[in-house]
Amino acid sequence: MIVGESGLGKSTLINTLFNAPIAPTRDTPKEAVNSDASKAVEINSFTADLEENGVRLRLTVIDTPGFGDFINNTEAHKPILKSIEERYEQYLEQESRVGRKNITDNRVHACIYFVAPTGHSLKQLDVAFMKELGTKVNLIPVIAKSDILTENEVADFKERILADIKANNIQIYYPSVHENDDPETVQEIKSIISRIPFAVVGSMQTFENPPGSGVHVRGRKYPWGLIEVDNESHCDFVKLRQMLIRSHMEELKEHTTDVLYESHRSLKLGEGFGVANTNPAKFEEEKRAHVTKMAKMEAEMKAVFQQKVAEKEKKLKQSEEEVTLIQENETQTNKKEKKKPKKRKLYSRHREMKQQLEQQRLDLEERKKRLLGGTATAARNLAGTPTQQKKGLFK
């Protein structure tokens, strides 16, 4: 959403951000002055499908022509506030349905508020709008057409704007620094925060700079020089684009969902203005369809459950029979195993007795040999003894 007085370059900045003709611009001064044609702030939406490096983005831009263009602007913020709340209500209605698969998110995730480059401070209109919408949407203040101010004037103007925001307790969006962010990311986030409110310049025109170099840049050309849109030393456009499109697009959506929308939802449900009261006939129809669907699902689940129970009982009976058979086999096996040790024991004793008898036999054989050998020796000794004695006697 873009909000600001006419002639501050809102549509031009949006087209410059996405480098595409998304929002229509006013070509003639007659079209710019529309206070006679309309006495209320209009809400116009433009949707475009963008693609860059294979990444597709569906962008919806909400313009608010007529804001701040009237003599009495005390209620200029109300149509815008109503539009934001209606979008929350639409999302709440979708979220409260029985079927919530295909929810269209048309909530406003960012509101760029254009401050006129007066160089002084915020107007009463600025304060009233920002104070009312700061709690409803991610509010991002920018200094429009900052190229008409010098660098010192821009710096002083930023300080005054921030002072007015703090004095009036206005809530604006600041990028968050998380604990798991690396030092480079933290430094980049701090750099973005230091540029708030963003001093921006928008232009779709390109110029060759420097002349004859063949390099073309987007900018605004003046007799005294060229203001480059994508040059950080000239304006804060690059930081604004980085925050909106590259680094904090998802964070903006998360903050809308978790904080802003949740606050609106809790308030509405707490007050009893739920979706059921806004369209009871539709809710009752969906409720009946849901009850019928649930009854059918319950019957199917009951049939499946009974079938599963029958299958389980059959398997359990088979398992019990198998267990009984296994137990019988184990009993028979145990009986056989008990008999085996006795046979083994008898065999061992038989083998030991056989070994003992064999050893005894060998011992007897050995003794027999010794006895037979001893008898022969004794006989020989008896036969030779007398002759020897006689020789000795005669001598």
Side-chain angles (χ1 to χ4, degrees):
M1 177 177 279
I2 50 176
V3 182
E5 299 176 21
S6 299
L8 293 181
K10 300 187 297 294
S11 300
T12 302
L13 181 66
I14 291 298
N15 295 339
T16 307
L17 276 171
F18 298 96
N19 199 25
I22 299 173
T25 58
R26 291 165 177 161
D27 300 326
T28 61
K30 290 183 181 180
E31 295 180 2
V33 182
N34 63 347
S35 58
D36 294 332
S38 176
K39 296 297 181 181
V41 178
E42 299 177 11
I43 306 295
N44 298 331
S45 297
F46 310 98
T47 302
D49 294 321
L50 306 177
E51 184 174 357
E52 183 178 351
N53 298 327
V55 179
R56 292 184 178 182
L57 174 65
R58 188 172 184 83
L59 177 70
T60 300
V61 178
I62 305 169
D63 194 7
T64 56
F67 177 81
D69 294 344
F70 312 117
I71 297 175
N72 184 6
N73 294 302
T74 54
E75 297 185 352
H77 65 278
K78 288 188 176 181
I80 301 171
L81 180 62
K82 182 181 178 182
S83 174
I84 293 174
E85 291 182 339
E86 284 177 351
R87 293 170 183 271
Y88 283 156
E89 290 292 335
Q90 292 172 7
Y91 191 85
L92 178 60
E93 192 269 336
Q94 295 181 80
E95 195 178 45
S96 302
R97 291 176 182 173
V98 176
R100 294 171 291 182
K101 292 184 179 179
N102 300 319
I103 295 180
T104 303
D105 187 4
N106 60 350
R107 297 171 296 179
V108 180
H109 295 293
C111 176
I112 304 176
Y113 184 74
F114 288 72
V115 179
T118 61
H120 302 297
S121 60
L122 293 177
K123 299 178 182 179
Q124 189 61 34
L125 174 64
D126 301 330
V127 173
F129 174 85
M130 296 173 71
K131 199 167 184 177
E132 286 289 336
L133 272 73
T135 58
K136 298 292 184 180
V137 69
N138 293 315
L139 190 61
I140 303 171
V142 300
I143 301 173
K145 296 186 175 181
S146 63
D147 51 332
I148 69 172
L149 302 174
T150 65
E151 291 184 5
N152 293 333
E153 289 174 342
V154 169
D156 294 340
F157 193 27
K158 284 186 176 184
E159 290 182 3
R160 294 190 186 99
I161 292 174
L162 292 175
D164 289 342
I165 288 173
K166 184 177 180 181
N168 291 279
N169 295 321
I170 297 172
Q171 181 178 331
I172 63 174
Y173 174 76
Y174 284 101
S176 302
V177 178
H178 304 283
E179 294 181 358
N180 56 347
D181 289 337
D182 57 86
E184 184 178 354
T185 302
V186 173
Q187 184 62 33
E188 189 63 35
I189 294 174
K190 290 181 178 179
S191 175
I192 293 174
I193 294 174
S194 66
R195 298 293 186 99
I196 298 175
F198 300 97
V200 296
V201 177
S203 176
M204 292 292 289
Q205 293 182 329
T206 59
F207 301 91
E208 190 177 19
N209 188 38
S213 63
V215 179
H216 291 78
V217 296
R218 295 186 300 177
R220 300 179 67 87
K221 193 171 185 180
Y222 295 94
W224 45 265
L226 178 68
I227 295 291
E228 297 181 19
V229 171
D230 300 295
N231 191 333
E232 292 189 35
S233 62
H234 291 184
C235 64
D236 301 330
F237 172 81
V238 174
K239 293 297 183 184
L240 175 63
R241 180 181 59 187
Q242 179 181 350
M243 185 185 75
L244 288 176
I245 303 174
R246 297 177 180 174
S247 60
H248 290 80
M249 177 181 287
E250 291 301 322
E251 184 175 306
L252 285 164
K253 296 171 68 174
E254 290 175 2
H255 188 262
T256 299
T257 301
D258 300 337
V259 180
L260 303 174
Y261 168 71
E262 190 63 29
S263 176
H264 175 85
R265 177 179 176 275
S266 301
L267 180 63
K268 288 298 180 181
L269 295 181
E271 291 176 353
F273 295 113
V275 178
N277 293 332
T278 59
N279 196 349
K282 187 175 182 180
F283 182 79
E284 287 298 328
E285 182 182 352
E286 291 184 354
K287 183 179 179 181
R288 286 193 297 269
H290 178 68
V291 171
T292 304
K293 184 179 179 181
M294 290 296 104
K296 183 179 178 180
M297 291 177 63
E298 183 179 358
E300 292 175 353
M301 291 175 65
K302 188 175 181 179
V304 172
F305 176 75
Q306 291 176 349
Q307 182 182 356
K308 294 291 183 182
V309 169
E311 292 177 356
K312 289 291 183 182
E313 289 179 348
K314 185 178 179 181
K315 288 183 179 180
L316 183 60
K317 188 176 181 180
Q318 292 177 354
S319 299
E320 289 177 352
E321 293 176 354
E322 292 176 357
V323 169
T324 303
L325 182 61
I326 291 172
Q327 289 177 346
E328 292 177 355
N329 293 335
E330 287 181 351
T331 303
Q332 295 177 1
T333 304
N334 291 336
K335 288 180 180 179
K336 292 180 181 180
E337 291 295 329
K338 288 180 179 179
K339 293 179 179 179
K340 284 183 179 179
K342 293 182 179 179
K343 292 181 179 180
R344 290 176 182 174
K345 188 174 181 181
L346 291 172
Y347 177 76
S348 299
R349 289 182 63 185
H350 174 73
R351 187 175 58 184
E352 290 177 359
M353 290 176 65
K354 184 178 180 181
Q355 290 177 353
Q356 290 177 1
L357 291 173
E358 183 68 20
Q359 186 65 35
Q360 290 177 4
R361 187 184 68 78
L362 293 174
D363 291 343
L364 290 173
E365 290 288 337
E366 185 66 26
R367 288 176 66 184
K368 181 180 179 182
K369 288 180 181 180
R370 287 200 302 268
L371 289 172
L372 292 175
T375 303
T377 304
R380 285 196 299 270
N381 290 337
L382 289 173
T385 301
T387 305
Q388 292 176 356
Q389 288 179 350
K390 288 180 180 181
K391 274 182 162 185
L393 291 174
F394 285 105
K395 215 169 183 179

